[in-house]
Amino acid sequence: MDVPAQRPPADAWIGEIVRLYERRMLRYALSLTHDLDRAWDAVQDTLVELTRAAGTLDRSRPAPWLFAVCRAKAFEVRRRETRARHVGEEALGERESAEPPPDAGLATLEDAATLKRMLADLPDNHQEVLHLRFQEGLRNVEIAEVTGMTANHVGVLLHKAIERLRRLVGAASPEGAARM
């Protein structure tokens, strides 16, 4: 007689999820919010939702759910921050942070800085699907679940983004610049 597999207790499972996905969600949220504090807020809000929904989630495939919730929380944090900024701008004035941005280390490498500028020139939806695919390792179907797009549309966006990057890299290379 087969004994059904025991599911680990929710606390142990949540701990494992945090260990496996917290940094990945932070990277993703940072790519959406462009602010480390707001990204952390989105991740923390996602983890709160995880504790609330732990009993109903498909434990074999947590990534699509986690990244979808993280995405929604990042946009929510961004909207909340934007509203608060508009209210407080007149009273407080805007100041640049004295600290370098969290991704300033990449800017020290010329190639990385060039690629970063090229990525920043892509439309937001292209940047998002590239991030989920190549940094987070999600498949097109999972990216579709996260973003609400179809898997085919995700594939088209990835293809267009990669082709555009190839053209930009080609034009930026010394050989490409000589051809122009």
Side-chain angles (χ1 to χ4, degrees):
M1 173 178 245
D2 288 330
V3 177
Q6 291 276 330
R7 284 173 40 140
D11 289 348
W13 181 73
I14 291 171
E16 184 66 8
I17 292 300
V18 170
R19 186 182 71 73
L20 293 172
Y21 290 97
E22 184 178 43
R23 282 182 155 302
R24 292 175 62 191
M25 287 189 300
L26 180 61
R27 234 183 1 242
Y28 178 52
L30 185 58
S31 77
L32 297 173
T33 64
H34 307 291
D35 180 88
L36 188 57
D37 290 332
R38 285 190 274 172
W40 269 117
D41 288 345
V43 170
Q44 294 305 311
D45 290 349
T46 301
L47 294 175
V48 168
E49 288 297 318
L50 175 66
T51 61
R52 290 182 183 143
T56 60
L57 292 178
D58 177 359
R59 291 186 179 189
S60 67
R61 296 185 55 237
W65 185 90
L66 286 168
F67 284 103
V69 172
C70 186
R71 178 180 196 257
K73 297 297 181 182
F75 288 146
E76 184 180 307
V77 166
R78 233 172 53 182
R79 277 191 303 273
R80 226 179 15 233
E81 183 75 19
T82 301
R83 281 194 299 266
R85 189 177 326 128
H86 288 299
V87 170
E89 277 179 0
E90 295 84 29
L92 300 175
E94 291 216 29
R95 293 186 310 208
E96 285 288 320
S97 172
E99 295 184 31
D103 55 354
L106 285 178
T108 60
L109 301 172
E110 188 174 322
D111 291 342
T114 300
L115 182 58
K116 188 176 175 183
R117 281 191 301 276
M118 289 175 184
L119 285 168
D121 287 340
L122 294 176
D124 289 344
N125 59 351
H126 288 187
Q127 291 179 44
E128 183 177 13
V129 295
L130 284 169
H131 180 94
L132 288 170
R133 179 73 180 109
F134 295 109
Q135 282 195 280
E136 305 310 330
L138 297 183
R139 298 183 333 260
N140 290 10
V141 171
E142 293 171 321
I143 296 169
E145 288 179 49
V146 170
T147 61
M149 301 175 197
T150 65
N152 287 340
H153 188 68
V154 168
V156 168
L157 288 177
L158 283 168
H159 177 76
K160 285 181 177 181
I162 291 168
E163 286 301 310
R164 184 163 179 193
L165 285 173
R166 281 186 182 137
R167 283 193 308 275
L168 290 170
V169 167
S173 72
E175 301 83 33
R179 283 183 287 199
M180 298 191 113

